[in-house]
Amino acid sequence: MDSNKTRCPWPGKDALMIKYHDKEWGTPLHNDRKLFEFLVLEGFQAGLSWLTVLRKRENFRNAFDRFDFNKVARYDERKIESLLKDSGIIRNRLKIQGAIINARAFLEIRKEFGTFDKYIWSFTSGKTIHHGFKSLKEIPAKIELSDHIGKDLKKRGFKYVGSTIVYSHLQATGMVNDHIKACFRYKELVQAS
């Protein structure tokens, strides 16, 4: 972790948040399993801090079969009950059921488009949107694009895909580059695209 680099202020001094900021957040992601992981984690994060989810991420990976959407789609009531007893994750019945419903809807999208990646990135024509905000205060909680994608996902049967959650997903998976302009990652991501 390089403390001389200028980065977005939101990771603060937390080593896990800094690593996530520097290595993952905003990096274009095209792997269906990772895209599914972020969809699930964003859903569980609703009403909580991202740091809470990040600290439990490895437990989530173990509990949800490394986010294998094929397996998650087959979860039954017995599996739900076992997840509700797992203190390593966020134990919320509705969010657990939502993850299973989303895995099934995810599979339907893959049937139609070949990959979830093709579907989700079609909304930006396969390109990252670089906003170039100067401060965190300028970054909105949602945008017109996240409204549009959220509505389409809901129409396809997804749960926990409101515009704010979808926007967080777009930021995390690099469809949107919302690193502030002074952040070293902003420039790296612009150059990489």
Side-chain angles (χ1 to χ4, degrees):
M1 172 176 83
D2 188 346
S3 57
N4 295 325
K5 289 182 174 173
T6 301
R7 58 176 54 87
C8 299
W10 58 260
K13 296 192 184 315
D14 186 273
L16 191 60
M17 289 286 274
I18 291 169
K19 183 181 175 195
Y20 173 69
H21 168 276
D22 290 4
K23 304 282 183 209
E24 280 188 272
W25 195 73
T27 303
L29 195 54
H30 295 284
N31 174 294
D32 271 12
R33 191 180 284 208
K34 295 292 284 176
L35 289 166
F36 179 67
E37 176 178 346
F38 274 108
L39 261 182
V40 172
L41 293 177
E42 295 292 351
F44 272 94
Q45 188 253 327
L48 304 168
S49 76
W50 182 247
L51 183 56
T52 300
V53 173
L54 213 49
R55 285 187 176 141
K56 293 178 178 280
R57 189 178 190 185
E58 200 51 45
N59 296 333
F60 270 106
R61 285 177 175 153
N62 292 329
F64 282 87
D65 289 295
R66 316 281 321 149
F67 294 103
D68 180 337
F69 38 83
N70 291 297
K71 288 181 179 174
V72 177
R74 294 192 304 267
Y75 285 2
D76 58 13
E77 192 56 40
R78 206 168 75 220
K79 178 65 175 182
I80 292 170
E81 290 305 320
S82 119
L83 289 168
L84 285 169
K85 290 178 186 142
D86 187 339
S87 61
I89 66 167
I90 295 158
R91 295 176 288 180
N92 178 304
R93 179 178 287 277
L94 292 176
K95 289 179 179 183
I96 291 168
Q97 289 170 329
I100 298 164
I101 289 165
N102 288 352
R104 293 170 185 160
F106 195 92
L107 290 175
E108 289 305 311
I109 283 180
R110 284 174 52 87
K111 269 187 211 161
E112 185 178 340
F113 292 87
T115 63
F116 186 81
D117 175 61
K118 272 188 199 155
Y119 161 77
I120 198 79
W121 279 88
S122 71
F123 289 97
T124 63
S125 303
K127 294 178 175 63
T128 298
I129 298 165
H130 302 280
H131 280 139
F133 296 121
K134 289 187 174 79
S135 75
L136 289 183
K137 286 184 279 186
E138 292 178 37
I139 302 173
K142 58 185 184 164
I143 57 175
E144 200 174 303
L145 177 63
S146 60
D147 291 344
H148 179 62
I149 295 172
K151 282 179 187 156
D152 196 68
L153 288 168
K154 281 180 185 167
K155 193 176 77 190
R156 294 171 180 277
F158 281 78
K159 302 283 182 208
Y160 293 99
V161 288
S163 189
T164 302
I165 287 175
V166 169
Y167 192 50
S168 293
H169 189 261
L170 301 181
Q171 292 169 315
T173 62
M175 290 179 66
V176 171
N177 175 7
D178 272 354
H179 285 280
I180 60 170
K181 235 177 168 176
C183 177
F184 80 97
R185 287 291 288 145
Y186 178 79
K187 207 175 292 172
E188 282 181 358
L189 293 166
V190 169
Q191 287 170 348
S193 70

